[in-house]
Amino acid sequence: METSKVISTDKATVVIQVNPQVTQNIVNGDDGQETRGANGNTALAEFFKAQPKALGTVQIMIGLVIFLFGVVRTTEIVPYPVISVFSALTFWGSLIYIAAGSLSVAAQNKLHLCVVKASLIMNVLSAITAVIAIFLMSIEMAMLSERWGYYKIIYLGISVIMLVFTITQFIISICISGFACKATFRDSTVVNVALNQSGH
């Protein structure tokens, strides 16, 4: 139900209308869990329906897998440079993915606008990181394809797996960012100001 408040003075009339979407609501999750939105509105409920907890869990798992591949690559002795090792991409990239996933899970658990905004920021950063990682791994795979031998097969295989995970991470980050952006930037209050005509 839309609510409005009128404040009138000799100089102006201010009408504040609160969007009917802004309500204190309770959202039931698929697991039967009830979540009450402190700043809840329909947009936050839609964000909840996007299952950020499930997507965030996938992000955390991707971050862990890429981190483990980075550890394996760092401990191996290779006769030629590998971009993902020297740029430490597998370490700082995986930390960003894990942070984005953790905030996505927290956003569904808390269903609070501040946590959703934090999730939005981290997922945008995660998407940018994924784009950089895709670019660097593509260069790395092109370099590896020119070389022959035992190391080429192993590293090219690991690079392909990491590339698939990174593309998946990029898609998830974009999806969560879209829903979080919709929940964050939807206007809820409209203020109309009308100047009263003076008789002088």
Side-chain angles (χ1 to χ4, degrees), residues 35-53:
T35 306
R36 182 180 295 272
N39 292 332
N41 59 24
T42 306
L44 286 180
E46 290 298 320
F47 178 74
F48 186 83
K49 289 177 184 176
Q51 297 299 322
K53 182 184 281 187

Side-chain angles (χ1 to χ4, degrees), residues 10 16 18 20 30 39 53 108 110 130-132 174 182 199:
D10 291 340
I16 302 173
V18 179
D30 292 339
N39 292 332
K53 182 184 281 187
Q108 179 165 341
K110 300 287 183 183
V131 168
I132 295 170
I174 291 296
K182 184 178 177 183

Side-chain angles (χ1 to χ4, degrees), residues 127-192:
I128 293 169
T129 303
V131 168
I132 295 170
I134 290 167
F135 176 72
L136 291 178
M137 280 190 282
S138 298
I139 295 174
E140 179 179 295
M141 289 171 66
M143 291 170 59
L144 288 172
S145 64
E146 295 175 357
R147 302 177 184 270
W148 297 97
Y150 176 72
Y151 283 105
K152 173 193 171 181
I153 298 169
I154 294 175
Y155 270 77
L156 197 55
I158 291 175
S159 294
V160 169
I161 294 170
M162 287 176 59
L163 184 62
V164 169
F165 279 124
T166 304
I167 291 171
T168 305
Q169 174 71 25
F170 174 74
I171 294 169
I172 292 173
S173 295
I174 291 296
C175 290
I176 293 177
S177 297
F179 282 104
C181 187
K182 184 178 177 183
T184 303
F185 295 108
R186 181 173 289 186
D187 292 332
S188 59
T189 305
V190 178
V191 178
N192 296 322

Side-chain angles (χ1 to χ4, degrees), residues 6 14-15 24 34 52 59-60 64 73 85 99 103 118 120 132 139 148-150 152 161 163 170 174 186 199:
V6 179
V14 179
V15 179
Q24 183 77 8
E34 284 190 352
Q59 286 180 304
I60 293 170
L64 289 173
R73 283 190 160 191
V85 173
L103 281 171
L120 170 63
I132 295 170
I139 295 174
W148 297 97
Y150 176 72
K152 173 193 171 181
I161 294 170
L163 184 62
F170 174 74
I174 291 296
R186 181 173 289 186

